[in-house]
Amino acid sequence: MVFEIYGNYAEIKESKKLLSLCREIKELAAKEIRNISDSTDENEICNRVKNFLEKSLEKLIGKREVKKIFKNVEKSIPKLSGALCYVISEIGLKLGGTESGE
């Protein structure tokens, strides 16, 4: 499976495990939102969100692919979030079996 993200290409093997990883990321996101909402430090919140998005993307496409994609692209929350949402959406479309809300 090949993804074009911000002008770079990432390739991963198709696997049913990817669908379970997408569900796991969704569940972890809900927990992380609850944990982050306890903080009042804006910088800490932003760093935790960026870290969560980056680590989630790495789970799906791998660290090397994430580094390649973001080599010349800032790892901002909107860019990381956009990439993660795109990858999850494409995995759902290609492997069929997305749950509503993913």
Side-chain angles (χ1 to χ4, degrees), residues 2-92:
V2 178
F3 303 100
E4 182 183 355
I5 305 169
Y6 306 125
N8 294 298
Y9 293 90
E11 186 171 359
I12 59 170
K13 277 179 118 174
E14 287 187 28
S15 142
K16 290 292 182 184
K17 180 182 177 190
L18 291 172
L19 290 172
S20 64
L21 281 173
C22 290
R23 283 189 290 277
E24 178 184 310
I25 288 167
K26 180 181 175 184
E27 291 167 7
L28 289 172
K31 289 178 186 174
E32 191 65 19
I33 288 170
R34 285 192 299 274
N35 292 337
I36 288 173
S37 65
D38 292 339
S39 179
T40 56
D41 182 337
E42 190 174 315
N43 287 329
E44 179 187 343
I45 292 170
C46 287
N47 288 334
R48 287 176 68 178
V49 169
K50 281 195 243 183
N51 186 52
F52 175 80
L53 294 169
E54 184 174 356
K55 295 299 178 199
S56 297
L57 200 52
E58 287 174 354
K59 283 181 183 179
L60 294 172
I61 65 173
K63 282 185 180 185
R64 187 170 45 174
E65 297 296 326
V66 171
K67 282 183 182 181
K68 187 169 71 172
I69 290 166
F70 287 94
K71 182 178 179 182
N72 296 314
V73 177
E74 179 188 1
K75 289 182 184 176
S76 65
I77 291 173
K79 294 284 187 180
L80 287 163
S81 179
L84 180 61
C85 289
Y86 167 71
V87 169
I88 288 173
S89 175
E90 288 298 305
I91 288 170

